[in-house]
Amino acid sequence: MSAGLPVAGRWAAVLGGLLLLAARPALAEDREFCPARPGQTTPPCTLAPGEVQVETAFATWTRTSDPASRTDTLELGSGQVRAGLTSRLEAQVGWTPAGIQWVRDNASGKVDRLSGVGDVTLGLTYGLAGANGPVALQGFVSLPTGGAAIGAGDWGAGVRLPVQFDIGHGLQLGLTPEVDAAVNGSGEGRHLAYGGAAGIGLPLGDKVQLGLDVSAFRDEDPDGAETLASAGASLAWQAGKDTQLDLGGTVGLNRASPDMTLYLGIAHRF
């Protein structure tokens, strides 16, 4: 890396510049509050110019196991800052400030512990059919700023095509196909990964929504290709016009997938 600011300082400068771009007076718009969390799909809506939204998981716990070992990963504060740049264009900066991983050897019972920060992700979303969907294009790149515990080790990138439709009776159908240049398991180089997620949003009253979704991804890692599949459920409560609280989780549908993930989070629009 080039000389100058430390790594954390450089990404703080990137985030600060993004927020300054978004801090100009917002247009006279009253867009519907549309968080990107919870669940495995991505909504196609974008923020209005000048709006800033913070979306954070207070905690995310994941367990993965195989015949040889069991891995538990706890991430704290994982989330993103979203900023509306134009009527259809939105930028995102994502980061996990703290992660802890415990790896237990099933034969010996020995537990190794790692901790560190995660990689930085930069993204842009453009509303192809307008500011609030039903289809958008999202591109992102991940930068190797993280450590051994939850960092990938190299840069990666990907493209998503978020789609969402009202299918009647208050139900929303979401689809998110995705193609990635995913980081190799060795931590060096990239490979093709592709798949997507599909979900249904069901209102439970005026302020609570139940989400049900499934995802499947084919990961062509040169160290061993595999297909990951999971099913998830979530609840989101709109605590105010600009605030949402959520909880949810996923379960793996095959041996290659994490056994279980549980999370609790918040989204707030400024």
Side-chain angles (χ1 to χ4, degrees):
M1 286 193 161
S2 61
L5 288 173
V7 171
R10 283 199 293 272
W11 299 125
V14 170
L15 177 58
L18 175 62
L19 296 180
L20 284 175
L21 281 173
R24 65 185 183 277
L27 297 179
E29 297 185 46
D30 187 18
R31 294 190 187 176
E32 182 180 354
F33 184 48
C34 184
R37 57 173 303 121
Q40 300 185 86
T41 60
T42 301
C45 52
T46 60
L47 297 180
E51 286 185 342
V52 174
Q53 189 161 303
V54 177
E55 304 181 356
T56 301
F58 298 122
T60 303
W61 168 75
T62 302
R63 169 166 289 180
T64 303
S65 61
D66 57 39
S69 64
R70 186 185 76 199
T71 301
D72 290 280
T73 303
L74 178 65
E75 297 181 0
L76 303 173
S78 178
Q80 65 175 348
V81 176
R82 300 167 57 190
L85 302 181
T86 72
S87 62
R88 293 192 184 190
L89 183 65
E90 172 189 302
Q92 306 94 28
V93 178
W95 188 49
T96 300
I100 308 171
Q101 189 174 82
W102 297 267
V103 181
R104 182 184 186 275
D105 183 270
N106 291 339
S108 66
K110 179 183 177 183
V111 177
D112 293 324
R113 181 182 180 276
L114 296 172
S115 63
V117 301
D119 297 335
V120 168
T121 300
L122 306 176
L124 290 171
T125 300
Y126 180 76
L128 295 176
N132 292 310
V135 60
L137 180 66
Q138 183 180 80
F140 61 91
V141 59
S142 61
L143 307 175
T145 59
I150 57 173
D154 205 341
W155 69 266
V159 177
R160 299 187 182 108
L161 189 71
V163 178
Q164 185 169 293
F165 295 104
D166 185 344
I167 56 177
H169 305 288
L171 297 176
Q172 296 284 332
L173 171 64
L175 303 171
T176 311
E178 179 175 340
V179 178
D180 297 342
V183 179
N184 294 339
S186 64
E188 296 183 357
R190 281 150 297 282
H191 62 271
L192 176 66
Y194 56 90
I200 292 286
L202 171 65
L204 302 178
D206 295 334
K207 296 184 178 181
V208 179
Q209 178 162 291
L210 169 67
L212 301 173
D213 51 43
V214 294
S215 68
F217 281 86
R218 181 63 179 173
D219 192 317
E220 300 287 356
D221 195 311
D223 292 338
E226 58 188 7
T227 298
L228 308 175
S230 62
S234 62
L235 282 173
W237 172 49
Q238 190 160 349
K241 180 182 177 182
D242 300 307
T243 303
Q244 174 188 277
L245 298 172
D246 64 74
L247 58 86
T250 64
V251 294
L253 299 179
N254 60 9
R255 292 185 178 180
S257 306
D259 302 338
M260 180 181 295
T261 296
L262 298 174
Y263 56 82
L264 174 69
I266 186 173
H268 182 75
R269 178 174 60 182
F270 294 90

